[in-house]
Each structure stands twice: as structure tokens, then as C-alpha cells.
Short mmCIF file of all heavy atoms in Angstrom, two decimals:
data_model
loop_
_atom_site.label_atom_id
_atom_site.label_comp_id
_atom_site.label_asym_id
_atom_site.label_seq_id
_atom_site.Cartn_x
_atom_site.Cartn_y
_atom_site.Cartn_z
N ALA I 1 124.15 62.97 121.95
CA ALA I 1 124.76 62.23 120.85
C ALA I 1 126.22 62.43 120.79
O ALA I 1 126.99 61.49 120.52
CB ALA I 1 124.11 62.69 119.56
N HIS I 2 126.71 63.59 121.06
CA HIS I 2 128.12 63.87 121.09
C HIS I 2 128.84 63.11 122.23
O HIS I 2 129.87 62.54 122.02
CB HIS I 2 128.40 65.36 121.19
CG HIS I 2 129.83 65.79 121.25
ND1 HIS I 2 130.55 65.96 122.47
CD2 HIS I 2 130.76 65.93 120.28
CE1 HIS I 2 131.77 66.29 122.20
NE2 HIS I 2 131.96 66.27 120.88
N ALA I 3 128.20 63.14 123.38
CA ALA I 3 128.77 62.44 124.52
C ALA I 3 128.86 60.91 124.32
O ALA I 3 129.77 60.27 124.82
CB ALA I 3 127.91 62.75 125.76
N LEU I 4 127.94 60.42 123.50
CA LEU I 4 127.97 58.94 123.19
C LEU I 4 128.99 58.59 122.09
O LEU I 4 129.10 57.46 121.65
CB LEU I 4 126.55 58.50 122.75
CG LEU I 4 125.54 58.47 123.86
CD1 LEU I 4 124.12 58.32 123.33
CD2 LEU I 4 125.82 57.32 124.84
N GLY I 5 129.65 59.62 121.59
CA GLY I 5 130.76 59.39 120.67
C GLY I 5 130.39 59.44 119.21
O GLY I 5 131.16 59.08 118.31
N CYS I 6 129.19 59.93 118.89
CA CYS I 6 128.74 60.04 117.49
C CYS I 6 129.55 61.15 116.75
O CYS I 6 129.87 62.17 117.39
CB CYS I 6 127.23 60.31 117.41
SG CYS I 6 126.19 59.07 118.06
N ASP I 7 129.73 61.00 115.51
CA ASP I 7 130.35 61.98 114.66
C ASP I 7 129.22 62.88 114.10
O ASP I 7 128.42 62.44 113.28
CB ASP I 7 131.12 61.32 113.52
CG ASP I 7 131.72 62.27 112.51
OD1 ASP I 7 131.64 63.48 112.75
OD2 ASP I 7 132.28 61.80 111.53
N LEU I 8 129.15 64.12 114.59
CA LEU I 8 128.04 65.03 114.25
C LEU I 8 128.46 65.94 113.12
O LEU I 8 129.55 66.59 113.14
CB LEU I 8 127.62 65.83 115.46
CG LEU I 8 127.30 65.09 116.72
CD1 LEU I 8 126.75 66.02 117.81
CD2 LEU I 8 126.29 63.99 116.48
N ARG I 9 127.64 66.11 112.10
CA ARG I 9 127.89 66.99 110.95
C ARG I 9 126.65 67.73 110.57
O ARG I 9 125.53 67.34 110.91
CB ARG I 9 128.37 66.15 109.76
CG ARG I 9 129.59 65.28 110.08
CD ARG I 9 130.08 64.49 108.88
NE ARG I 9 131.13 63.55 109.27
CZ ARG I 9 132.20 63.34 108.53
NH1 ARG I 9 132.38 63.92 107.39
NH2 ARG I 9 133.13 62.48 108.92
N ILE I 10 126.81 68.83 109.87
CA ILE I 10 125.65 69.63 109.37
C ILE I 10 125.75 69.74 107.88
O ILE I 10 126.77 69.95 107.27
CB ILE I 10 125.69 71.04 110.00
CG1 ILE I 10 125.32 70.96 111.47
CG2 ILE I 10 124.68 71.99 109.23
CD1 ILE I 10 125.41 72.24 112.21
N VAL I 11 124.60 69.52 107.21
CA VAL I 11 124.43 69.82 105.78
C VAL I 11 123.25 70.74 105.66
O VAL I 11 122.13 70.31 105.83
CB VAL I 11 124.22 68.45 105.02
CG1 VAL I 11 124.00 68.81 103.55
CG2 VAL I 11 125.42 67.53 105.20
N SER I 12 123.51 71.95 105.29
CA SER I 12 122.45 72.98 105.29
C SER I 12 122.55 73.95 104.14
O SER I 12 123.60 74.31 103.71
CB SER I 12 122.54 73.74 106.62
OG SER I 12 121.75 74.92 106.60
N ASP I 13 121.37 74.39 103.72
CA ASP I 13 121.29 75.43 102.68
C ASP I 13 121.17 76.82 103.24
O ASP I 13 120.75 77.73 102.58
CB ASP I 13 120.03 75.13 101.75
CG ASP I 13 120.17 75.85 100.42
OD1 ASP I 13 121.23 76.45 100.10
OD2 ASP I 13 119.20 75.81 99.65
N ALA I 14 121.57 76.99 104.55
CA ALA I 14 121.65 78.32 105.10
C ALA I 14 123.01 78.90 104.69
O ALA I 14 123.30 78.88 103.50
CB ALA I 14 121.56 78.20 106.64
N ASN I 15 123.80 79.48 105.62
CA ASN I 15 125.14 79.92 105.27
C ASN I 15 126.04 79.85 106.50
O ASN I 15 125.55 79.74 107.61
CB ASN I 15 125.09 81.32 104.70
CG ASN I 15 124.63 82.38 105.68
OD1 ASN I 15 125.45 82.81 106.54
ND2 ASN I 15 123.37 82.71 105.69
N MET I 16 127.35 79.84 106.23
CA MET I 16 128.29 79.65 107.33
C MET I 16 128.24 80.71 108.37
O MET I 16 128.38 80.40 109.53
CB MET I 16 129.70 79.53 106.69
CG MET I 16 130.78 79.09 107.68
SD MET I 16 130.51 77.53 108.47
CE MET I 16 131.06 76.42 107.10
N PHE I 17 128.03 81.93 107.94
CA PHE I 17 128.03 82.98 108.99
C PHE I 17 126.86 82.83 109.98
O PHE I 17 127.09 82.89 111.16
CB PHE I 17 127.89 84.40 108.31
CG PHE I 17 127.96 85.54 109.27
CD1 PHE I 17 129.16 86.07 109.66
CD2 PHE I 17 126.74 86.07 109.77
CE1 PHE I 17 129.20 87.10 110.59
CE2 PHE I 17 126.80 87.15 110.68
CZ PHE I 17 128.03 87.65 111.15
N PHE I 18 125.64 82.54 109.47
CA PHE I 18 124.49 82.32 110.35
C PHE I 18 124.71 81.14 111.25
O PHE I 18 124.47 81.25 112.48
CB PHE I 18 123.25 82.12 109.49
CG PHE I 18 122.62 83.36 108.87
CD1 PHE I 18 123.35 84.55 108.85
CD2 PHE I 18 121.38 83.32 108.24
CE1 PHE I 18 122.75 85.69 108.24
CE2 PHE I 18 120.86 84.41 107.66
CZ PHE I 18 121.53 85.63 107.67
N ILE I 19 125.16 80.06 110.63
CA ILE I 19 125.26 78.77 111.42
C ILE I 19 126.38 78.93 112.51
O ILE I 19 126.15 78.56 113.67
CB ILE I 19 125.59 77.63 110.48
CG1 ILE I 19 124.39 77.31 109.58
CG2 ILE I 19 125.94 76.36 111.27
CD1 ILE I 19 124.64 76.30 108.53
N ASP I 20 127.49 79.49 112.11
CA ASP I 20 128.61 79.65 113.09
C ASP I 20 128.20 80.55 114.24
O ASP I 20 128.48 80.26 115.37
CB ASP I 20 129.86 80.27 112.36
CG ASP I 20 130.96 79.31 112.19
OD1 ASP I 20 130.89 78.16 112.82
OD2 ASP I 20 131.99 79.59 111.50
N SER I 21 127.55 81.69 113.89
CA SER I 21 127.09 82.65 114.90
C SER I 21 126.14 81.98 115.92
O SER I 21 126.27 82.18 117.13
CB SER I 21 126.46 83.85 114.28
OG SER I 21 127.32 84.58 113.44
N ILE I 22 125.20 81.24 115.42
CA ILE I 22 124.22 80.54 116.26
C ILE I 22 124.82 79.48 117.12
O ILE I 22 124.62 79.43 118.36
CB ILE I 22 123.00 80.04 115.43
CG1 ILE I 22 122.24 81.18 114.81
CG2 ILE I 22 122.11 79.17 116.27
CD1 ILE I 22 121.25 80.78 113.70
N LEU I 23 125.61 78.61 116.48
CA LEU I 23 126.18 77.49 117.24
C LEU I 23 127.18 77.99 118.28
O LEU I 23 127.20 77.39 119.45
CB LEU I 23 126.89 76.50 116.29
CG LEU I 23 126.02 75.80 115.27
CD1 LEU I 23 126.90 74.80 114.47
CD2 LEU I 23 124.88 75.00 116.03
N LYS I 24 127.95 78.98 117.98
CA LYS I 24 128.92 79.59 118.99
C LYS I 24 128.12 80.18 120.16
O LYS I 24 128.53 80.05 121.32
CB LYS I 24 129.81 80.56 118.29
CG LYS I 24 130.91 79.92 117.45
CD LYS I 24 131.71 80.98 116.75
CE LYS I 24 132.78 80.31 115.88
NZ LYS I 24 133.52 81.35 115.06
N HIS I 25 127.08 80.90 119.87
CA HIS I 25 126.24 81.50 120.87
C HIS I 25 125.59 80.40 121.78
O HIS I 25 125.50 80.61 123.04
CB HIS I 25 125.10 82.37 120.25
CG HIS I 25 124.18 82.96 121.22
ND1 HIS I 25 124.59 83.94 122.08
CD2 HIS I 25 122.88 82.69 121.54
CE1 HIS I 25 123.52 84.30 122.87
NE2 HIS I 25 122.51 83.55 122.55
N LEU I 26 125.23 79.28 121.18
CA LEU I 26 124.62 78.16 121.97
C LEU I 26 125.67 77.34 122.69
O LEU I 26 125.34 76.53 123.53
CB LEU I 26 123.78 77.29 121.09
CG LEU I 26 122.57 77.98 120.41
CD1 LEU I 26 121.96 77.02 119.40
CD2 LEU I 26 121.52 78.28 121.45
N GLY I 27 126.99 77.53 122.34
CA GLY I 27 128.00 76.83 123.02
C GLY I 27 128.17 75.38 122.50
O GLY I 27 128.73 74.54 123.21
N ILE I 28 127.73 75.06 121.22
CA ILE I 28 127.87 73.72 120.77
C ILE I 28 128.64 73.67 119.40
O ILE I 28 128.56 72.60 118.80
CB ILE I 28 126.45 73.06 120.58
CG1 ILE I 28 125.58 73.96 119.61
CG2 ILE I 28 125.79 72.90 121.91
CD1 ILE I 28 124.27 73.30 119.29
N ARG I 29 129.30 74.67 119.03
CA ARG I 29 130.01 74.68 117.75
C ARG I 29 131.04 73.57 117.65
O ARG I 29 131.15 72.89 116.62
CB ARG I 29 130.68 76.04 117.49
CG ARG I 29 131.58 76.06 116.24
CD ARG I 29 130.79 75.83 114.98
NE ARG I 29 131.61 75.84 113.78
CZ ARG I 29 132.26 74.75 113.34
NH1 ARG I 29 132.19 73.60 113.99
NH2 ARG I 29 133.01 74.81 112.24
N GLU I 30 131.77 73.30 118.74
CA GLU I 30 132.82 72.29 118.76
C GLU I 30 132.29 70.87 118.68
O GLU I 30 133.15 69.96 118.45
CB GLU I 30 133.75 72.47 119.96
CG GLU I 30 133.11 72.09 121.31
CD GLU I 30 132.33 73.23 121.89
OE1 GLU I 30 132.06 74.24 121.22
OE2 GLU I 30 131.86 73.11 123.08
N TYR I 31 131.00 70.67 118.81
CA TYR I 31 130.45 69.30 118.76
C TYR I 31 130.39 68.77 117.30
O TYR I 31 130.22 67.59 117.11
CB TYR I 31 129.07 69.28 119.37
CG TYR I 31 129.00 69.49 120.86
CD1 TYR I 31 127.76 69.75 121.45
CD2 TYR I 31 130.11 69.51 121.65
CE1 TYR I 31 127.71 69.92 122.90
CE2 TYR I 31 130.07 69.69 123.01
CZ TYR I 31 128.85 69.92 123.62
OH TYR I 31 128.79 70.11 124.99
N PHE I 32 130.51 69.69 116.35
CA PHE I 32 130.32 69.28 114.94
C PHE I 32 131.69 69.19 114.26
O PHE I 32 132.44 70.18 114.20
CB PHE I 32 129.38 70.29 114.21
CG PHE I 32 127.99 70.27 114.82
CD1 PHE I 32 127.64 71.13 115.78
CD2 PHE I 32 127.08 69.39 114.32
CE1 PHE I 32 126.31 71.13 116.30
CE2 PHE I 32 125.77 69.36 114.78
CZ PHE I 32 125.43 70.23 115.81
N SER I 33 131.93 68.01 113.68
CA SER I 33 133.21 67.85 113.02
C SER I 33 133.24 68.50 111.62
O SER I 33 134.37 68.76 111.12
CB SER I 33 133.52 66.34 112.86
OG SER I 33 132.59 65.75 111.96
N GLU I 34 132.09 68.82 111.06
CA GLU I 34 132.06 69.33 109.70
C GLU I 34 130.72 70.07 109.51
O GLU I 34 129.71 69.63 109.91
CB GLU I 34 132.16 68.21 108.73
CG GLU I 34 132.16 68.59 107.26
CD GLU I 34 132.27 67.39 106.32
OE1 GLU I 34 131.29 66.65 106.20
OE2 GLU I 34 133.36 67.19 105.79
N ILE I 35 130.84 71.27 108.83
CA ILE I 35 129.63 72.03 108.41
C ILE I 35 129.71 72.25 106.89
O ILE I 35 130.64 72.87 106.41
CB ILE I 35 129.51 73.36 109.17
CG1 ILE I 35 129.33 73.14 110.61
CG2 ILE I 35 128.35 74.20 108.63
CD1 ILE I 35 129.33 74.42 111.52
N ASN I 36 128.74 71.68 106.21
CA ASN I 36 128.58 71.85 104.74
C ASN I 36 127.45 72.84 104.50
O ASN I 36 126.31 72.48 104.72
CB ASN I 36 128.37 70.57 104.09
CG ASN I 36 129.37 69.45 104.34
OD1 ASN I 36 130.40 69.39 103.60
ND2 ASN I 36 129.23 68.66 105.41
N THR I 37 127.79 74.03 104.01
CA THR I 37 126.78 74.97 103.78
C THR I 37 127.25 76.05 102.77
O THR I 37 128.44 75.95 102.33
CB THR I 37 126.32 75.65 105.09
OG1 THR I 37 125.18 76.52 104.85
CG2 THR I 37 127.47 76.51 105.71
N ASN I 38 126.41 77.02 102.47
CA ASN I 38 126.86 78.07 101.57
C ASN I 38 127.82 79.01 102.23
O ASN I 38 127.67 79.36 103.44
CB ASN I 38 125.60 78.90 101.14
CG ASN I 38 124.64 78.05 100.37
OD1 ASN I 38 124.89 77.49 99.28
ND2 ASN I 38 123.40 77.94 100.94
N PRO I 39 128.87 79.41 101.58
CA PRO I 39 129.82 80.31 102.18
C PRO I 39 129.19 81.67 102.59
O PRO I 39 128.31 82.18 101.87
CB PRO I 39 130.89 80.57 101.08
CG PRO I 39 130.76 79.43 100.19
CD PRO I 39 129.28 79.01 100.23
N GLY I 40 129.53 82.15 103.79
CA GLY I 40 129.04 83.44 104.19
C GLY I 40 130.16 84.20 104.98
O GLY I 40 130.72 83.58 105.82
#
């Protein structure tokens, strides 16, 4: 989806620390233009 030029965003009731840690570990954090979640 990212390679096709889509604007990827996250809207989650998790928290920023969990999401950031997981996405960075998976190597896909930079694919998302915006993350809306609970501060962590």
C-alpha cells in the first residue's frame, strides 16, 4: 500500500510507546504519516 503511494495512518486505543516500539522493530514506522493514539 505504501509503495503504491497511499497515505497510511493509524488510529488506535493502544499507546504511542507500544506502537512506536513495535513498528520500529518491524521496520515499518516510516510508512505511516500519522499515528493517533494515547500518549505513552
Side-chain angles (χ1 to χ4, degrees):
H2 179 263
L4 289 168
C6 297
D7 177 5
L8 309 185
R9 305 180 185 220
I10 289 175
V11 178
S12 168
D13 199 6
N15 67 81
M16 187 60 80
F17 183 86
F18 284 10
I19 294 175
D20 251 351
S21 296
I22 292 168
L23 294 183
K24 286 176 181 176
H25 178 69
L26 295 171
I28 57 172
R29 173 61 182 87
E30 67 277 11
Y31 292 168
F32 295 92
S33 66
E34 181 181 73
I35 296 176
N36 301 273
T37 189
N38 299 298

